[in-house]
């Protein structure tokens, strides 16, 4: 009886300790995540404006959502965000990350003792703050004094300087180049770490079985890298979809609204057009899209692939 | 122990007394001339030993949102520099203190409240005064006489079509950029001004107030399109290169350096930028006369039209130091010493103080342009916020310049967007 009683008491004490230990976490979650989310949701049903912050907004129901979803401009913003920024941006990053990881892990670099230098060079873009990277790239791409235009012109590739950040043909590729340059190292390093954990015996067995280099990649390396790829796709998608700083500082969502994405639309509506309620509704839609994507991705792709990996 | 308590109490009292004697107010200053303004504030502190002024800085691009956010939570600076068109909306938002009781007092400007320019823009929707006009300015055209001469043009064009022809001729004969206006898109692009100057020179503006007091969109999509087409021709004809779409501000390095290097023949800039160009030219070429002249913008059937721009000063609604803040405003609106010693690149927004500004011959286009400049009028006091129109016009122009939309499509969409905003906000 005493044992049971003392057992219960220990369990109760542990539970109490756990609850107390979790209080700070819940406190911060409530203050900095739940409250702003609920406040934003509430704001999205009002007409709160920049000029009406002191008096607050009036309840407008789902008007903001209806206006957003009926707008042709918003459909283009979604297209820019989903296709250009996210699908193209993330695909380029994952593909280049894989290629670079294979290159940096190759025996050739090891033989020439260039691995360490290559890894240091790889980290430089990652260590560069985005704002600095953007300023440098804007300068490089500048039509008047930019090094890239100067090189292209001196080589006779172009007659006139190219306004990379202002011409329809070039603006998205230029933007994705800048984002990729700054964010590629993390992807590459993650893949490299995964590659280095590949058991040598597996490769040896494949070689003995007569597998070509491509077959080794297809049947040994890629299945081993799959968990890392799944996690990086998920993380990169979230970062990229929600990213504001690159698009805003590189193109200001222009020329026109050609590179306007959801994050810049939230900013433009709130701080240029002064429509906080409308902007909050855009933010809620943005969060909803990402939540749906995350759930589907985890259910359909990650769970299946990772369970296959475990079996 | 008793002695210790006595010393501590005495120390606390002396601190309290000191803080009561020296009142500290904050002044938000957004122009680049911070060192000069600090000297002016030092002078003010000498004249008012009981007041200390902390100067806060913000860029003009962020100043509006920052002030409104701070005002919403009661932390806005005591005195703030405001754009000419802000007091109405800021006053309506409850972010500024009404100044009607203070402007009746003596000591404001040279001849008191009635002598200030743009007083219409200083009123809030409730009819109260929320801002004191501080400086006034406008845009004029700065041009390189040598490049014009090389193209066989001896005087600055008087109408918009002649200016386009001159720009094209300069490009064809010298290979240089003609009128290199910034064609980039951002929240506050220069093309907004350039388009309005063109539209106003032909007659109506985007927004107008009818005889019944109601505001309306005063332009047809076709009239909007005409302006878009005009500027688009510069880019499509190549005398303003496509690279001009990569910057959007009137004082961008591309403009200043383009004029200084002689690779650009014409720019539309406020006087502060014209001064910068002339000053840098003289520094780099001490023995050569400046090749630049300034002229009013070309005229249309409605004359040469630009706007009365400028800054106002306002006291935030949360200020606890109204008397000290008002003293600072009184000081800053006196030409002597603010405008004569410290803030010399700006013109006081008072008729009696216009002479405080000495215009050099190469800047003679500015006083001439000021004579035909117009107030923002219905833009400033109407129901469609200027930042909304500014952004929408800039984006519409950008989409035309890159060929994403036809000028007719962009004009129609812009007309619809402004009409919708007006209908929504006009009670």
């Amino acid at each position: 009886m005493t044992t049971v009683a003392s057992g219960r008491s220990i369990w109760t004490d542990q539970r109490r300790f756990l609850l107390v230990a979790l209080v700070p976490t819940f406190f911060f979650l409530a203050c900095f995540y739940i409250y702003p989310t609920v406040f934003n949701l509430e704001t999205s049903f009002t007409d709160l404006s920049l000029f009406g912050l002191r008096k607050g907004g009036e309840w407008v129901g789902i008007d903001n959502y209806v206006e957003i979803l009926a707008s042709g401009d918003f459909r283009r913003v979604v297209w820019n965000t989903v296709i250009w920024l996210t699908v193209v941006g993330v695909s380029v990053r994952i593909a280049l990350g894989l290629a670079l990881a294979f290159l940096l892990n190759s025996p050739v670099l090891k033989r020439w003792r260039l691995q360490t230098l290559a890894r240091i060079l790889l980290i430089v873009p990652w260590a560069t703050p985005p704002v600095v990277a953007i300023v440098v790239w804007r300068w490089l791409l500048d039509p008047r004094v930019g090094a890239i235009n100067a090189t292209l012109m001196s080589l006779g590739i172009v007659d006139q300087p190219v306004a990379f950040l202002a011409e329809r043909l070039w603006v998205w590729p230029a933007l994705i180049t800048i984002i990729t340059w700054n964010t590629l190292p993390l992807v590459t390093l993650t893949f490299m770490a995964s590659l280095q954990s590949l058991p040598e015996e597996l490769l040896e067995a494949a070689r003995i079985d007569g597998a070509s280099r491509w077959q080794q990649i297809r049947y040994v390396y890629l299945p081993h890298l799959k968990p890392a790829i799944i996690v990086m796709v998920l993380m990169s998608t979230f970062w990229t979809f929600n990213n504001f700083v690159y698009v805003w500082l590189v193109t200001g969502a222009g020329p026109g609204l050609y590179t306007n994405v959801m994050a810049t639309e939230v900013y433009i509506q709130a701080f240029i057009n002064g429509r906080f309620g409308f902007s909050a509704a855009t933010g809620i839609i943005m969060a909803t899209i990402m939540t749906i994507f995350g759930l589907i991705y985890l259910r359909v792709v990650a769970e299946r692939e990772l369970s296959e990996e475990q079996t | 122990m008793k002695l210790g308590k006595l010393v501590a109490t005495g120390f606390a009292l002396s601190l309290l007394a000191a803080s009561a004697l020296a009142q500290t107010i904050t002044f938000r200053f957004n122009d680049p001339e911070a060192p000069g303004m600090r000297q002016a504030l030092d002078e003010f502190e000498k004249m008012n030993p009981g007041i200390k002024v902390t100067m806060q800085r913000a860029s003009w691009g962020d100043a509006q949102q920052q002030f409104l956010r701070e005002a919403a939570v009661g932390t806005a600076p005591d005195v703030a520099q405001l754009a000419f068109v802000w007091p109405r909306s800021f006053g309506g938002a409850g972010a500024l203190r009404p100044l009607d009781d203070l402007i009746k007092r003596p000591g404001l400007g040279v001849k008191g409240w009635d002598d200030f320019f743009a007083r219409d823009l200083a009123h809030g929707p409730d009819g109260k005064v929320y801002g004191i006009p501080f400086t006034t300015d406008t845009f004029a055209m700065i041009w390189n006489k040598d490049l014009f001469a090389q193209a066989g043009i001896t005087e600055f064009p008087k109408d918009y079509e002649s200016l386009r022809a001159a720009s094209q001729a300069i490009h064809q004969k010298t290979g240089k950029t003609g009128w290199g206006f910034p064609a980039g898109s951002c929240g506050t692009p220069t093309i907004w001004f350039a388009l309005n100057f063109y539209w106003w020179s032909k007659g109506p503006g985007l927004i107008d107030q009818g005889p019944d007091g109601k505001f309306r969109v005063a332009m047809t999509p076709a009239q909007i399109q005409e302006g878009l087409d005009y500027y688009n021709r510069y880019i499509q004809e190549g005398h303003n290169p496509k690279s001009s779409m990569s910057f959007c501000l009137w004082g961008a390095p591309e403009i200043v350096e383009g004029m200084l290097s002689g690779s650009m023949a014409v720019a539309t800039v406020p006087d502060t930028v014209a001064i910068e160009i002339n000053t840098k030219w003289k520094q780099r070429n001490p023995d050569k006369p400046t090749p630049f002249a300034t002229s009013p913008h070309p005229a249309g059937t409605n004359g040469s039209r630009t706007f009365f721009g400028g800054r106002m000063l306002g006291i935030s609604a949360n200020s606890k130091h109204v008397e000290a803040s008002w003293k600072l405003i009184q000081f800053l609106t006196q030409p002597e010493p603010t405008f004569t010693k410290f803030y010399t690149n700006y013109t006081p927004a008072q008729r009696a103080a216009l002479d405080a500004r000495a215009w050099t011959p190469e800047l003679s286009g500015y006083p001439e342009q000021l004579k035909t400049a117009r107030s923002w009028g219905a833009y400033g006091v109407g129901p469609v916020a200027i930042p909304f129109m500014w952004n929408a016009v800039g984006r519409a122009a950008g989409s035309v310049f890159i060929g994403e939309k036809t000028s007719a499509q962009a004009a129609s969409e812009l007309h619809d967007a402004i009409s919708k905003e007006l209908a929504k906000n006009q009670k």
Side-chain angles (χ1 to χ4, degrees), chain B residues 89-153:
Chain B
S89 49
F90 283 28
L96 292 171
R97 180 197 188 278
L99 304 173
D100 302 72
D101 54 333
L102 299 170
I103 59 172
K104 290 174 192 154
R105 297 184 189 176
L108 178 65
V110 179
K111 286 189 174 175
W113 172 244
D114 291 341
D115 192 50
F116 282 85
F117 290 128
R119 280 169 296 145
D120 56 330
L121 298 177
H123 289 82
D126 56 3
K128 291 180 180 167
V129 173
Y130 287 98
I132 304 296
F134 179 35
T135 63
T136 187
D137 57 51
T138 194
F139 277 50
M141 306 217 81
I142 183 166
W143 51 288
N144 185 319
K145 290 180 283 186
D146 295 346
L147 286 176
F148 270 68
Q150 284 172 40
I153 306 164

Side-chain angles (χ1 to χ4, degrees), chain B residues 46-357:
Chain B
K46 265 189 231 162
M47 291 165 65
N48 298 275
I51 307 172
K52 295 271 170 222
V53 186
T54 304
M55 185 167 71
Q56 296 181 347
R57 305 280 291 138
S59 72
W60 277 109
D62 299 326
Q64 173 174 273
Q65 303 139 23
Q66 192 167 331
F67 187 85
L68 288 171
R69 282 198 303 265
E70 290 165 341
V73 292
T75 59
D78 294 290
V79 181
Q81 215 187 4
L82 314 166
F84 252 25
V85 291
W86 291 355
R88 182 177 172 84
S89 49
F90 283 28
L96 292 171
R97 180 197 188 278
L99 304 173
D100 302 72
D101 54 333
L102 299 170
I103 59 172
K104 290 174 192 154
R105 297 184 189 176
L108 178 65
V110 179
K111 286 189 174 175
W113 172 244
D114 291 341
D115 192 50
F116 282 85
F117 290 128
R119 280 169 296 145
D120 56 330
L121 298 177
H123 289 82
D126 56 3
K128 291 180 180 167
V129 173
Y130 287 98
I132 304 296
F134 179 35
T135 63
T136 187
D137 57 51
T138 194
F139 277 50
M141 306 217 81
I142 183 166
W143 51 288
N144 185 319
K145 290 180 283 186
D146 295 346
L147 286 176
F148 270 68
Q150 284 172 40
I153 306 164
T154 50
E155 63 172 23
F156 194 75
K158 298 274 189 265
D159 62 80
Y160 275 96
E161 273 316 310
S162 305
L163 176 58
R164 189 176 69 80
S167 173
Q168 194 168 22
I170 289 166
H171 179 64
Q172 282 167 352
K173 291 190 180 153
T174 66
K176 312 286 184 183
T177 296
W179 181 8
F181 57 84
S185 308
C186 59
T188 54
T190 306
I191 195 68
W192 154 255
F193 295 121
L195 273 163
N196 273 300
F197 299 161
Y198 181 88
W199 289 328
W200 292 343
S201 79
K202 307 279 176 184
L206 279 171
I207 299 283
D208 205 351
Q209 192 168 20
D212 57 353
K214 290 251 179 196
F215 292 91
R216 61 203 168 104
V217 178
M219 294 179 73
T220 62
Q223 287 170 318
I224 295 174
Q225 184 188 347
E226 192 190 320
L228 293 172
D229 283 335
Y230 177 77
Y231 288 104
N232 191 32
R233 255 179 260 141
Y234 281 78
I235 292 165
Q236 304 314 322
E237 290 165 358
H239 38 112
N240 186 18
K242 284 187 174 169
S243 57
S244 67
M245 290 191 284
S246 62
F247 57 95
C248 69
L249 297 178
W250 45 93
E254 287 86 347
I255 296 288
V256 175
E257 289 302 323
M259 292 301 292
L260 284 168
S261 66
S263 61
M264 186 185 287
V266 192
T268 175
V269 291
D271 49 352
T272 46
V273 178
I275 290 168
E276 184 187 349
I277 291 169
N278 277 295
T279 308
K280 284 187 174 164
W281 168 270
K282 284 169 193 165
Q283 284 165 356
R284 293 180 196 179
N285 307 279
D287 303 326
K288 287 187 189 168
T290 171
F292 305 116
T294 53
S295 296
H297 282 74
T301 47
N302 197 33
S304 165
R305 295 287 173 206
T306 58
F307 62 96
F308 273 127
R311 289 95 170 87
M312 296 223 188
L313 296 170
I315 299 178
S316 68
N318 61 258
S319 175
K320 292 185 174 62
H321 308 293
V322 173
E323 286 301 324
S325 300
W326 183 248
K327 273 190 180 166
L328 177 63
I329 289 178
Q330 285 177 315
F331 170 83
L332 290 173
T333 52
Q334 297 300 327
E336 175 70 32
T338 307
F339 290 95
T340 52
K341 284 187 190 158
F342 306 115
Y343 197 44
T344 50
N345 288 349
Y346 293 82
T347 311
Q350 304 163 56
R351 283 176 192 84
L354 272 181
D355 294 341
R357 176 77 182 270

Side-chain angles (χ1 to χ4, degrees), chain A residues 3-13:
Chain A
T3 319
V4 174
S6 65
R8 267 186 195 155
S9 142
I10 288 166
W11 186 79
T12 314
D13 285 349

